[in-house]
Amino acid sequence: GDSVTQMEGPVTLSEEAFLTINCTYTATGYPSLFWYVQYPGEGLQLLLKATKADDKGSNKGFEATYRKETTSFHLEKGSVQVSDSAVYFCALGTRKLIFGQGTELSVKP
Amino acid sequence: NAGVTQTPKFQVLKTGQSMTLQCAQDMNHEYMSWYRQDPGMGLRLIHYSVGAGITDQGEVPNGYNVSRSTTEDFPLRLLSAAPSQTSVYFCASSYKPLQGAQEKLFFGSGTQLSVL
């Protein structure tokens, strides 16, 4: 069945460091791909999405490119801030939305 | 501008008790779903619905029932609570998927459930 695999956390970075969180997927058909973010004590919020191969989603300095050939959707940001500390979820969407296990990011000043 | 409303926010149950987690949305979304979130497991889909009268199982449906009698409401029922159901539960909704691709989900604020 459909599934999403993310790199394990926690990931700890210093402010202004480069961020990559890996995400790979298995799916039949042509799913949409998403990154959601969860701040402490809150529900999930959509960060960015891509609906077809080679699409790039971007928001708040974060980017991810839908790579069909490698079945990947890695999240990147060039310079992280303390306020980016959260849990990040990769997700795959067809008739329903399937999430990865989440990657906790902690950014230190 | 309520969005997705979940009640209660916190609940403690004894093993074997039953209860219903409520979820309502005011955005006229056709798609609604329930997830549970456990440490190291991410969010796992319990049940979902693509419209009134239509429900389907997700990844972890056992021990849970749902119904969708109206577009607005999607309650989750625990018939006989077990300690393994201790978790944080999220309800989420979206416009009906187009061409099989899921659209943006709007999440409720969650229900923290403990089963003793």
Side-chain angles (χ1 to χ4, degrees), chain A residues 30-32 93-96, chain B residues 97-102:
Chain A
Y30 303 96
S32 293
T94 52
R95 177 177 167 87
K96 53 188 187 280
Chain B
L98 300 176
Q99 300 176 346
Q102 184 58 268

Side-chain angles (χ1 to χ4, degrees), chain A residues 17-72:
Chain A
F18 184 85
L19 169 71
T20 300
I21 300 178
N22 290 339
C23 171
T24 57
Y25 68 91
T26 302
T28 55
Y30 303 96
S32 293
L33 298 173
F34 304 82
W35 278 99
Y36 279 79
V37 59
Q38 184 179 32
Y39 298 102
E42 299 182 9
L44 278 71
Q45 305 171 28
L46 178 66
L47 180 60
L48 53 86
K49 75 172 187 178
T51 56
K52 60 183 187 297
D54 299 325
D55 267 3
K56 177 186 284 188
S58 62
N59 186 26
K60 300 181 180 180
F62 291 89
E63 292 183 341
T65 301
Y66 190 145
R67 302 284 187 200
K68 193 169 188 294
E69 64 276 12
T70 55
T71 61
S72 65

Side-chain angles (χ1 to χ4, degrees), chain B residues 30-85:
Chain B
E30 293 200 45
Y31 180 93
M32 296 186 75
S33 54
W34 277 102
Y35 291 87
R36 59 177 289 173
Q37 184 176 23
D38 303 291
M41 304 291 288
L43 275 79
R44 292 181 291 171
L45 181 64
I46 304 172
H47 287 285
Y48 65 102
S49 168
V50 298
I54 306 169
T55 63
D56 206 347
Q57 296 182 348
E59 303 165 88
V60 289
N62 292 341
Y64 307 95
N65 280 356
V66 292
S67 60
R68 185 89 180 274
S69 56
T70 66
T71 299
E72 295 78 19
D73 300 299
F74 191 47
L76 179 72
R77 297 184 186 85
L78 284 71
L79 299 178
S80 178
S84 60
Q85 294 177 305

